[in-house]
Amino acid sequence: MRVVRFPARPTRVSDDIRAALASLGKGGNLVGGVALLGATPPDSGLVIDAVLVLPRGVFVVVGVDLPDPAMTLTAPLHGEWKADGWPLVRPDDEGENTKDAEADDGTPVNPAVTALASARRCADRIHDIDPSVGVGVIIAVGPFVGTVEQPPEDLAGPVRVIHPSATSMLSAIEALPSPPQPLTVHQARAVLGGLAPSATGFDDAALVAEGFVSSSTADPEPSAVSTTPQRPSAPSGHVTGPPRSPKRRSVVVALAALLLIAVTAILVNTVGPGDTPISASPARHPVDPRPSVTAGGVTFTPVAHEHSATCEPRHAVGDVQVYLTQHGCADLRRGSFTSGSDGRAVAVSVGAVTFADDTVAAEFHTLAELPGTGTLTDIATQTGQWPTPVPEFADAAYLTRREGTTVRLVLVDPLAEETEPGDDLPLRVARAALELPLS
């Protein structure tokens, strides 16, 4: 593995991550690829502990600093973390443990929430570069953890929580299924250029030595079947339906890739890195005239809404789009709202998808929860109905919930240019939006 070091160390455990990756050595004998340490993708505002561009796909490594070492860490992706059986406490900015094991609103502490949000944004950026590249996530915890326990349903997906060492890194990488053909030199260079333009100086021979396939020997027009790694199915205790057809999924991916480019352009709603965002005129696109509604103690003002009896490609992006195109749905409701408190405003995007049976709904919910798998498109963004400022949902709080055959996805984006550290308003509004009626 080639290692490219940048100065940024976003977490204290970054040093352990760097040491573990450096110990793997150059070449493809163990894992191969290129590791970007302290990566800061341009124009993203992200600082990632490490991004591993590997022949089998890409791993986003995000660090989580624990208050103390632990022999056993119980670390569900959604739920309370415990160290040696004790619930974790929430540290303040100086690292002192000053709060109870629950947040002020009574929700359990999960220190990976922010890390997963950053990983999701980075994974979305990778899929913007090449939708066919498989992306996994490693949550690296420190200062030291002897054993990490993850629920079986979490282990079914491409997210692993580990204390970083060479051995644990290799085991986590195995969680990403191998594609039928390794990434090509061209694909690797495209991903590296999108995440760290200064890290594209490797010649073809160096990348081939790291396990990437020479572009000259690869299929000149590779099909989606040869480049799209399949996500592992959820365990039988969680989803009992038949596995998805790789051929059917891959054909849809090929069609969805073109649609993803167009939909992403609408969502980002900008004309270039140095240009002024194009926003809809409030006079031309009036706010939804329906009255405000209250859910979970939070008031929501409607901006736009849509009800559809079928799911179409325009309704989603990424793997979520592929799944809905492949399986269809019985009902889809999308709504956009504004909300806030104490003079702070947020944009809210809510979608509720209803399927024909529980099995398909459960499988879709498992997919939608994973970082980098896409989401439902915001209806106000898609139809140009947001008043200024127009949200981008690039750093939004994200929650999902399944009730029977209906799966709800919520995105909440602060409309202010800057937010205070530890501001929990987006997450509080997102929880309330899970109860919001979509008529």
Side-chain angles (χ1 to χ4, degrees):
M1 173 180 286
R2 301 282 180 133
V3 176
V4 180
R5 296 174 175 85
F6 295 98
R9 286 176 166 81
T11 59
R12 293 192 299 273
V13 77
S14 290
D15 290 335
D16 293 329
I17 296 170
R18 291 173 176 242
L21 294 174
S23 69
L24 296 178
K26 291 183 180 181
N29 292 334
L30 291 179
V31 64
V34 179
L36 306 175
L37 306 183
T40 55
D43 303 318
S44 69
L46 289 172
V47 182
I48 306 295
D49 291 86
V51 180
L52 314 182
V53 183
L54 311 178
R56 66 188 302 146
V58 179
F59 265 97
V60 181
V61 184
V62 284
V64 171
D65 292 323
L66 303 178
D68 297 295
M71 292 305 299
T72 302
L73 177 69
T74 303
L77 297 181
H78 307 283
E80 184 178 61
W81 281 28
K82 295 182 178 181
D84 296 328
W86 292 90
L88 285 180
V89 295
R90 186 182 297 276
D92 67 4
D93 292 341
E94 284 74 36
E96 299 292 336
N97 300 331
T98 59
K99 295 187 179 181
D100 294 334
E102 292 189 345
D104 294 339
D105 58 0
T107 58
V109 170
N110 184 325
V113 170
T114 301
L116 278 172
S118 297
R120 178 183 293 275
R121 290 176 57 197
C122 188
D124 287 342
R125 190 181 185 96
I126 294 165
H127 282 152
D128 287 344
I129 299 168
D130 188 339
S132 70
V133 174
V135 180
V137 176
I138 295 175
I139 301 175
V141 296
F144 172 80
V145 174
T147 302
V148 177
E149 296 177 345
Q150 286 187 260
E153 57 268 26
D154 290 352
L155 292 173
V159 182
R160 291 294 181 271
V161 183
I162 64 170
H163 174 67
S165 67
T167 301
S168 63
M169 282 286 186
L170 290 173
S171 297
I173 289 168
E174 291 297 321
L176 188 68
S178 296
Q181 175 180 297
L183 299 189
T184 66
V185 167
H186 175 76
Q187 287 177 297
R189 190 170 282 119
V191 174
L192 290 170
L195 299 178
S198 61
T200 57
F202 298 107
D203 58 24
D204 285 9
L207 293 176
V208 169
E210 293 297 332
F212 297 106
V213 175
S214 173
S215 299
S216 61
T217 59
D219 182 357
E221 294 184 359
S223 66
V225 174
S226 66
T227 59
T228 305
Q230 299 300 307
R231 293 184 180 275
S233 300
S236 58
H238 185 63
V239 179
T240 58
R244 286 173 264 174
S245 167
K247 288 187 178 180
R248 186 179 179 188
R249 172 185 166 90
S250 58
V251 170
V252 177
V253 170
L255 296 174
L258 295 176
L259 292 169
L260 176 61
I261 296 173
V263 174
T264 302
I266 294 173
L267 287 174
V268 174
N269 204 18
T270 60
V271 295
D275 295 329
T276 302
I278 302 174
S279 59
S281 167
R284 183 180 177 185
H285 301 287
V287 171
D288 192 320
R290 294 181 301 165
S292 297
V293 293
T294 300
V298 177
T299 300
F300 297 85
T301 301
V303 176
H305 71 284
E306 181 188 72
H307 178 203
S308 176
T310 59
C311 284
E312 302 173 9
R314 67 182 179 88
H315 291 145
V317 295
D319 288 343
V320 168
Q321 179 196 64
V322 173
Y323 190 90
L324 293 178
T325 304
Q326 176 181 342
H327 292 83
C329 68
D331 187 84
L332 172 64
R333 298 171 189 264
R334 294 184 294 164
S336 302
F337 305 82
T338 57
S339 185
S341 66
D342 301 326
R344 295 174 297 164
V346 295
V348 184
S349 180
V350 185
V353 191
T354 301
F355 297 91
D357 59 72
D358 285 343
T359 298
V360 178
E363 188 176 30
F364 175 78
H365 186 221
T366 299
L367 172 69
E369 283 189 310
L370 297 176
T373 55
T375 187
L376 298 176
T377 51
D378 172 59
I379 181 60
T381 301
Q382 198 170 51
T383 56
Q385 295 188 65
W386 281 113
T388 303
V390 178
E392 296 183 358
F393 295 103
D395 195 18
Y398 179 74
L399 291 179
T400 67
R401 187 178 69 184
R402 180 172 74 92
E403 291 184 345
T405 59
T406 299
V407 180
R408 178 168 291 221
L409 283 65
V410 174
L411 289 162
V412 176
D413 187 36
L415 290 175
E417 294 184 359
E418 297 183 358
T419 57
E420 295 294 329
D423 182 12
D424 66 346
L425 175 62
L427 193 56
R428 286 192 288 111
V429 173
R431 292 193 188 102
L434 289 173
E435 310 291 338
L436 191 61
L438 294 178
S439 58

